[in-house]
Amino acid sequence: MSIAFRMETDRLILRDWREDDLEPFLTHTNTPDVMRWLGGVMSTQVLGGFLFRNERCRETNGFCFWIVERKADGEVLGFCGLKRVNTAAASMIGEHEIGWRLRTDAWGQGYAKEAAVASLDAAFTQFGAPIIHALTVQQNEGSWGLMHRLGMQRRPDLDCVEPRWGEELKNVIVHSITRDQWRGI
């Protein structure tokens, strides 16, 4: 069994999931607005697959998409963290990927960047990542805007087409940052 993960920032706690996280996570993040660029609201079956893969990632790698909890009130804001690229059409399968998903009332307050900075730092210092990728659909300007603010570089050479979310969301764009680039920020 791996050691429980917990990391703190000024305003947030990033940590492993607990059973009581599921209800607030679903209530606030499995909504049409949050899931707009992620294939839509998840069915129970799809959600179960996500949770299983996330737990398997934690067991295998020591990292996953961690719960993002606000220190001030203990509210679950969503998740942020790391996984291995598993998008079937991607050319960098198995490399490190960062991702995030926050509830709408947490948008625009710097929480995603704060959690992502901590996750990138952990990726490079604790988990030995030489490079981190971030994938999103082309239309998700909010997500790739954060990638830019994190110092990630657009990588059109790594873009791919992922048809599982339908015609509108099939064009996946990639941003990346190396350990050396991260040290220079």
Side-chain angles (χ1 to χ4, degrees):
M1 183 170 173
S2 62
I3 297 171
F5 183 88
R6 181 184 171 94
M7 177 171 49
E8 294 190 28
T9 67
D10 288 343
R11 301 179 296 162
L12 305 171
I13 298 169
L14 282 74
R15 59 168 173 77
D16 286 333
W17 292 62
R18 298 186 302 238
E19 228 176 276
D20 61 346
D21 294 327
L22 191 55
E23 184 198 344
F25 176 77
L26 292 177
T27 298
H28 297 293
T29 67
N30 196 29
T31 65
D33 286 341
V34 173
M35 299 301 294
R36 178 178 182 189
W37 307 119
L38 299 166
V41 173
M42 289 187 282
S43 67
T44 303
Q45 181 180 11
V46 171
L47 177 64
F50 162 76
L51 294 172
F52 175 79
R53 286 187 306 278
N54 194 60
E55 180 59 22
R56 176 71 62 210
C57 181
R58 187 189 69 75
E59 290 172 358
T60 303
N61 302 301
F63 54 77
C64 64
F65 288 152
W66 301 295
I67 281 291
V68 175
E69 178 183 314
R70 188 169 39 214
K71 282 182 179 179
D73 58 10
E75 284 287 313
V76 171
L77 300 182
F79 72 66
C80 184
L82 309 166
K83 70 178 189 94
R84 299 289 183 167
V85 175
N86 63 353
T87 300
S91 62
M92 63 284 191
I93 298 278
E95 294 184 21
H96 291 83
E97 177 183 348
I98 186 170
W100 47 80
R101 182 182 310 163
L102 298 183
R103 56 198 255 180
T104 55
D105 64 351
W107 293 356
Q109 298 179 49
Y111 292 127
K113 184 176 182 187
E114 189 172 329
V117 165
S119 296
L120 285 168
D121 193 57
F124 292 124
T125 62
Q126 291 180 252
F127 301 112
I131 188 168
I132 306 289
H133 304 287
L135 290 74
T136 192
V137 296
Q138 189 169 11
Q139 300 94 319
N140 191 350
E141 293 180 28
S143 191
W144 55 257
L146 175 55
M147 295 170 194
H148 285 240
R149 290 189 301 279
L150 292 167
M152 301 184 92
Q153 302 297 310
R154 179 76 170 79
R155 294 287 307 272
D157 58 310
L158 298 176
D159 290 354
C160 61
V161 174
E162 175 55 72
R164 71 181 152 151
W165 292 315
E167 187 66 26
E168 181 189 0
L169 303 179
K170 71 179 184 180
N171 295 318
V172 175
I173 63 171
V174 180
H175 289 70
S176 303
I177 189 166
T178 66
R179 182 183 297 125
D180 290 340
Q181 289 170 325
W182 181 248
R183 288 180 185 147
I185 292 177

